[in-house]
Amino acid sequence: MYDPNFIRNVAIIAHIDHGKTTLMDRILELTHSIDERNMREQFLDSMDLEREKGITIKSHPVKVFYTSKKGQDYELNILDTPGHIDFTYEVSRSLAACEGAILLVDATQGVQAQTVTNTYLALENDLEIIGAINKIDLPSANVEETLLEINDLVGIDSDSIVKISAKTGEGVSELLELIIEKVPPPTLKGSINDKLKALVFDAKYDKYRGIIVYTRVFAGTVKKEDNILFMASSKSYEVSEVGVFHPEMVEIDNLSAGEIGYIIAGIKEIQEAKVGDTITNAQDPTDKPLPGYKEVKPMVYAGLYPGLPEYYEDLRKALEKLKLNDASLVFLPENSPALGYGFRVGFLGLLHMEIVKERIQREFDLAVILTVPSVIYNAKLKNGEVIQITNPSQFPDQEYIESVYEPYCKLDIITPPEFMGDLINLAQVEKRGEFLYVSNAGKNRVVLHFEIPLAEIIFDFFDKMKALSKGYASMDYELIGYRESKLVKIEIYINKEKVDALSYIVHESKAYEIARKLVDKLKDLIPRHQFEIPIQAYCKGKIIARSTIKALRKDVLQKCYGGDVTRKMKLLEKQKEGKKRMREIGEVSIPQEAFLALLKIDEDNN
């Protein structure tokens, strides 16, 4: 029997690898939502990628029924959200559909930088936050210290924090009792008698049923055969099915105010089911849409090309389908002389870029080539015009530029004090960052605050930080605006032909060092040909670094077993002429690895 007073909607927020998905496994077992024979570890991580990497990429809604200790039945809608910094937008979308949030912290690792960010996201949404310390069964668990950290950094009272083990199930029922007690029912945000108002917080493409819309109903009711209207696109559809996630998709009669579920309405066009849109009744629409999400802007751009030109259209369709349940993905067509037709794609970070590439290869069976990522720069020209640069090939010639601006971000690193010196050196000396101050974060933790160019942290900063801190440090960053900087473009010429896909923008002080490393790396990555191949780095009107790939030589003197030396000289001269002609007309085949050479230039140092 539907009663909104006995519904609770909560999201689980935590840093990567703090046990969110394992906790969901125990909740599913405890509430008998799944048969024992169908149960498997990381049940909600449906993608192979999620299981392999041990991370959550997509948020997963689940409806469970729980009988409290007082004997009352409750309906709990729980959303398992991603923990990595690149997927913060997924978390923000899930939080908009809930009234409460479980803040899960690993007792062996303590509060991490991303935990703090996600908690502030929850506070912005006016959610009731329930603290939970996980992994208390491990010998290395430091529960008391973690309690103090949560209290210091987040402000949750230590007495109200639940101690659990998602692996063994200890404390999980106490956590569910606390959700029932503390999280308010959804009745305050709308009732079943109001006009239909439902928020689209996610969507998925199904080749048989069209687009499946994940929704949270704030007011009114939606049922089969209703005519619904998407307010942003002004498109109306007839509902063919509504249902809930229990944890698989289960069809029900209707979805009412306060419930989370899905709607199928034969939607074929991907653009018409926008995440953040409001669904209302087409015959009796609501006056005002729900507040949507803030637009997520990509941080990093890279070129994405099909392995073979004839798969360009397949790649476009694959990107469109991925964009449906990944609102942050932005792509525009582009053409490169070296790689042909492809797309300039915007990502939230390097992990996001890697995941999108892997999903295209696995889910759509397409081979793709990815170029070196770059951030968005602004350039002010001498004629007063300001242009946005998402691709190094758009960077104007130096004589037309008055000033160039690059994005800066506020970087916070939480680390044990013994790694402070190395991390400050990494951010300040190696990565052009500015150290601001250090603050305390509990008994054995400090927070280092920096302002740093975004371009410096999108490549290998995270890996180097983890290596220097033996895995203990964690980071979080947010964009703070643009600042003037001395930036130059370096173009790479291979066999005297410019390769746009290898161009990149760099700070003037690092231009020679990176150009030298890059041409040397390309020399190792590009296979030898029948002719000599020069690799040149060109900057500000001159060549600043060069490397040469020697030609593969055939021993033309092999058949000379004696005779006059002039005969040998004639054969060598003939070979030389042939090599020269071949170099002029020959094409250099550049492997995929060469386009990511910039990411690998520090491999030998490491």
Side-chain angles (χ1 to χ4, degrees), residues 493-499 526-534 551 577-590:
Y493 285 77
I494 295 177
N495 199 24
K496 298 185 179 173
E497 277 190 31
K498 185 164 77 171
V499 182
I526 296 172
R528 288 170 73 186
H529 289 56
Q530 293 285 338
F531 50 93
E532 192 178 85
I533 304 168
E577 285 299 317
K579 294 275 184 200
K580 189 177 174 185
R581 192 167 63 253
M582 205 185 289
R583 182 170 151 186
E584 286 167 6
I585 61 166
E587 284 192 5
V588 181
S589 61
I590 305 172

Side-chain angles (χ1 to χ4, degrees), residues 219-283:
T221 302
V222 59
K223 59 184 185 299
K224 197 173 178 176
E225 295 178 1
D226 275 1
N227 273 329
I228 55 167
L229 173 74
F230 287 82
M231 295 184 82
S233 60
S234 302
K235 297 278 183 180
S236 58
Y237 298 92
E238 186 180 302
V239 177
S240 57
E241 182 180 324
V242 296
V244 293
F245 303 93
H246 186 52
E248 307 293 347
M249 288 165 60
V250 179
E251 186 175 359
I252 58 170
D253 294 335
N254 57 57
L255 279 175
S256 300
E259 293 189 297
I260 290 174
Y262 68 88
I263 297 173
I264 299 172
I267 306 162
K268 297 287 182 233
E269 288 300 314
I270 283 163
Q271 296 79 11
E272 288 166 20
K274 288 182 180 167
V275 167
D277 198 354
T278 301
I279 297 173
T280 188
N281 193 296
Q283 272 87 29

Side-chain angles (χ1 to χ4, degrees), residues 443-556:
K443 187 178 167 189
N444 196 31
R445 290 286 178 91
V446 291
V447 187
L448 307 175
H449 302 271
F450 300 92
E451 285 181 358
I452 191 167
L454 178 62
E456 295 289 351
I457 61 171
I458 64 163
F459 286 136
D460 56 357
F461 186 88
F462 183 77
D463 295 337
K464 285 187 173 178
M465 178 197 77
K466 284 291 183 189
L468 288 172
S469 66
K470 298 179 182 170
Y472 284 106
S474 66
M475 62 177 260
D476 185 46
Y477 61 88
E478 64 173 295
L479 214 57
I480 54 172
Y482 279 74
R483 294 185 188 175
E484 190 175 341
S485 201
K486 289 184 176 178
L487 299 169
V488 291
K489 177 170 84 164
I490 292 184
E491 295 170 317
I492 298 295
Y493 285 77
I494 295 177
N495 199 24
K496 298 185 179 173
E497 277 190 31
K498 185 164 77 171
V499 182
D500 271 341
L502 288 170
S503 301
Y504 65 97
I505 298 164
V506 68
H507 193 264
E508 202 172 49
S509 62
K510 291 185 170 186
Y512 172 73
E513 179 196 347
I514 291 179
R516 178 76 266 155
K517 285 181 180 177
L518 184 57
V519 294
D520 288 343
K521 196 73 189 173
L522 287 170
K523 181 185 170 184
D524 297 335
L525 292 170
I526 296 172
R528 288 170 73 186
H529 289 56
Q530 293 285 338
F531 50 93
E532 192 178 85
I533 304 168
I535 302 170
Q536 298 161 311
Y538 183 86
C539 177
K540 291 175 92 172
K542 61 184 182 213
I543 290 164
I544 60 169
R546 175 190 164 123
S547 195
T548 306
I549 300 171
K550 296 292 180 192
L552 283 169
R553 287 180 67 91
K554 180 185 173 187
D555 187 3
V556 290

Side-chain angles (χ1 to χ4, degrees), residues 298-303 330 332 344-347 372-376 390-391:
M299 297 270 200
V300 177
Y301 277 83
V330 174
L332 293 163
R344 193 80 189 156
V345 188
F347 305 98
V372 176
S374 69
V375 299
I376 306 167
T390 59
N391 188 337

Side-chain angles (χ1 to χ4, degrees), residues 64-97:
V64 297
F65 296 99
Y66 176 69
T67 306
S68 71
K69 287 177 180 171
K70 293 178 181 173
Q72 180 62 53
D73 291 334
Y74 284 88
E75 177 188 312
L76 305 179
N77 291 303
I78 305 173
L79 280 83
D80 174 23
T81 64
H84 194 278
I85 190 168
D86 282 7
F87 301 109
T88 306
Y89 71 101
E90 281 278 341
V91 181
S92 68
R93 284 159 38 177
S94 302
L95 294 177

